[in-house]
Amino acid sequence: MRTIAINESLSLLRRIGLPVEDVLDVGVQHGTPALMEVFGDKLHHLFEPVDDYFPKIRSNYGAIRHELIQAAVSDQDAEVFLHSEYKTGSGQVSHSWISTVETSSSRRVPTLKLDTYVERAKLAGPMLLKIDVEGAPVPAAILHGAAGTLSQCSAVVIEMTVERWFERAALLDASGFDLWDLTALSYYGECLWQFDAVYVQRNYKKLLPSLQPIHQLPFDMSLWQQG
């Protein structure tokens, strides 16, 4: 039985032949090891509003071509307030989220639509988009600001919470993506809380039969896996 690790899922997509020329990594924090491992030869566009993370990011991506963009990705090009928390006891920022409400400890950061960035950078695709951000409505806002970008993506990796699963899945379905894999299942107590969902652009399933073998290739019982 396959293990459900994100790097294995992405490695399989690459072996199958899903094309990726650029990686759009939204919510980098210190880095995304799976993307660095599987697509280390590609240009990574790293979106991170928390500049506390920048020294670590630059160190981790020293051997990988990258662009570091200090912005919170959203559905508009504007400014918001960034709030940070220190939950791990390390003295370093562990969680951050954006809002329109200013507090004594918040700081202003720019927001940027992915469509705006992709147009400015003249990216032609195909791209892989990863979204891993704090704040319940934020992933949906990112997708709303990426209509043109999504049309040039071959895959999307997005952190899902159980509560927001249907909302985000519906947006991706409407943008032409089908679910490929569920990885990194995380539980709180006995309850499933979040996971990473891997989506592939629907048109590629027609070009690459291995993306949908149960419908496009002869059935082989030895390939059936459970658990």
Side-chain angles (χ1 to χ4, degrees), residues 74-110:
S74 188
D75 57 354
Q76 56 183 328
D77 302 323
E79 277 191 337
V80 291
F81 298 103
L82 177 71
H83 305 264
S84 300
E85 288 187 344
Y86 304 78
K87 290 185 175 181
T88 62
S90 66
Q92 298 180 339
V93 174
S94 60
H95 295 77
S96 298
W97 69 97
I98 61 173
S99 78
T100 57
V101 179
E102 184 177 13
T103 67
S104 59
S105 60
S106 64
R107 43 186 157 165
R108 289 180 180 270
V109 295

Side-chain angles (χ1 to χ4, degrees), residues 121-215:
K122 295 182 170 56
L123 303 183
M127 296 171 280
L128 182 147
L129 168 61
K130 185 223 85 175
I131 300 174
D132 182 356
V133 295
E134 300 286 341
V138 177
I142 292 170
L143 294 173
H144 283 302
T149 300
L150 288 170
S151 69
Q152 300 180 67
C153 287
S154 58
V156 174
V157 180
I158 181 169
E159 184 179 80
M160 298 277 203
T161 60
V162 172
E163 294 173 335
R164 295 284 177 157
W165 159 260
F166 288 109
E167 172 197 36
R168 297 169 192 175
L171 290 171
L172 287 164
D173 177 74
S175 298
F177 289 84
D178 287 338
L179 181 65
W180 158 256
D181 207 352
L182 298 178
T183 73
L185 276 68
S186 298
Y187 291 78
Y188 190 84
E190 301 299 323
C191 301
L192 178 64
W193 173 247
Q194 69 182 34
F195 48 87
D196 290 337
V198 183
Y199 282 80
V200 295
Q201 223 285 343
R202 199 166 291 140
N203 290 335
Y204 285 105
K205 295 172 73 173
K206 301 173 184 177
L207 300 174
L208 301 169
S210 293
L211 287 175
Q212 201 173 25
I214 199 167
H215 293 312

